């Protein structure tokens, strides 16, 4: 049974989900992947769902393309309608130079260590630490160990979507 979701019945889901061409996302998971199945009446608030123009989309981060940003830094990311999610794999010695962007950034260091400089302060991040950068606050990262770093940006990184980000070389 397919449930109507306002404009979602008029437009294909692929047009409703704002994803970047530069992210080269192969495809969201589908019902054929057996991770998604019908659950009639579950996850539905009648007064809300009838006003939605999109539906939830399930991705597997490990299946996203891995982009080499430098010889020591790779990323996998995707864009939602209003946010960007990224996994960075950094080798010891990798650096993200001083930069700023109009996005709030939440950084969660899953593994390793990094030294972060922002606003004349030095922050020593270790696995498990979370750091929040308000929009337009300058910051830079120096990875002092091999690291896995998860970042969440709001709004979505338009500079990544249109390919104008040039601060990492």
């Amino acid at each position: 049974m397919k449930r109507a979701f306002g404009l979602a019945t008029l437009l294909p889901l692929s047009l409703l989900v704002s994803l970047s061409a530069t992210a080269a996302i192969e495809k969201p998971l589908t019902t054929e992947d057996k991770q998604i199945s019908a659950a009639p009446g579950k996850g539905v608030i009648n007064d809300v769902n009838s006003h939605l123009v999109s539906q939830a989309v399930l991705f597997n981060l490990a299946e996203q393309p891995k982009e080499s940003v430098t010889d020591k830094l790779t990323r996998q990311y995707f864009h939602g309608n209003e946010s960007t999610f990224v996994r960075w794999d950094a080798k010891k010695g990798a650096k993200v130079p001083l930069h700023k962007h109009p996005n709030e950034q939440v950084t969660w260091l899953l593994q390793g260590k990094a030294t972060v400089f922002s606003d004349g302060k030095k922050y020593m991040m270790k696995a498990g630490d979370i750091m929040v950068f308000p929009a337009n606050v300058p910051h830079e990262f120096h990875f002092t160990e091999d690291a896995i770093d998860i970042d969440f940006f709001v709004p979505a990184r338009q500079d990544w979507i249109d390919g104008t980000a040039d601060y990492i070389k």
Side-chain angles (χ1 to χ4, degrees), residues 16-132:
L16 295 172
V17 178
S18 172
L19 299 172
S20 166
T22 60
I25 294 172
E26 295 187 15
K27 66 173 183 139
L29 295 176
T30 65
T31 53
E32 294 84 46
D33 297 311
K34 304 297 183 208
Q35 284 184 260
I36 304 170
S37 60
K42 297 292 186 180
V44 175
I45 301 173
N46 289 328
D47 293 340
V48 175
N49 287 74
S50 62
H51 297 282
L52 296 178
V53 295
S54 187
Q55 296 177 341
V57 179
L58 179 63
F59 290 95
N60 183 303
L61 184 59
E63 293 176 0
Q64 300 309 305
K66 190 174 270 194
E67 176 185 359
S68 181
V69 180
T70 70
D71 61 334
K72 295 184 177 185
L73 194 62
T74 62
R75 69 183 177 189
Q76 293 169 285
Y77 67 97
F78 59 89
H79 303 289
N81 288 334
E82 299 187 27
S83 62
T84 298
F85 184 93
V86 61
R87 173 191 164 133
W88 298 94
D89 286 289
K91 299 289 183 196
K92 180 179 179 177
K95 294 181 181 177
V96 177
L98 184 63
H99 67 285
K100 67 181 186 71
H101 39 72
N103 319 78
E104 179 175 79
Q105 175 180 340
V106 178
T107 296
W108 177 22
L109 197 62
L110 290 181
Q111 175 183 310
K113 292 183 179 177
T115 302
V116 180
F117 297 97
S118 181
D119 197 26
K121 295 181 181 132
K122 176 181 174 181
Y123 300 87
M124 304 297 290
M125 289 189 77
K126 63 185 182 323
D129 288 347
I130 296 173
M131 193 163 187
V132 179

Side-chain angles (χ1 to χ4, degrees), residues 124-169:
M124 304 297 290
M125 289 189 77
K126 63 185 182 323
D129 288 347
I130 296 173
M131 193 163 187
V132 179
F133 300 95
N136 295 308
V137 171
H139 54 283
E140 63 185 280
F141 284 80
H142 298 244
F143 293 94
T144 56
E145 291 182 3
D146 288 356
I148 297 173
D149 175 11
I150 301 293
D151 284 343
F152 183 76
F153 298 95
V154 176
R157 289 295 303 260
Q158 188 62 43
D159 57 341
W160 292 7
I161 293 169
D162 59 26
T164 59
D166 62 359
Y167 59 93
I168 302 175
K169 301 205 189 293

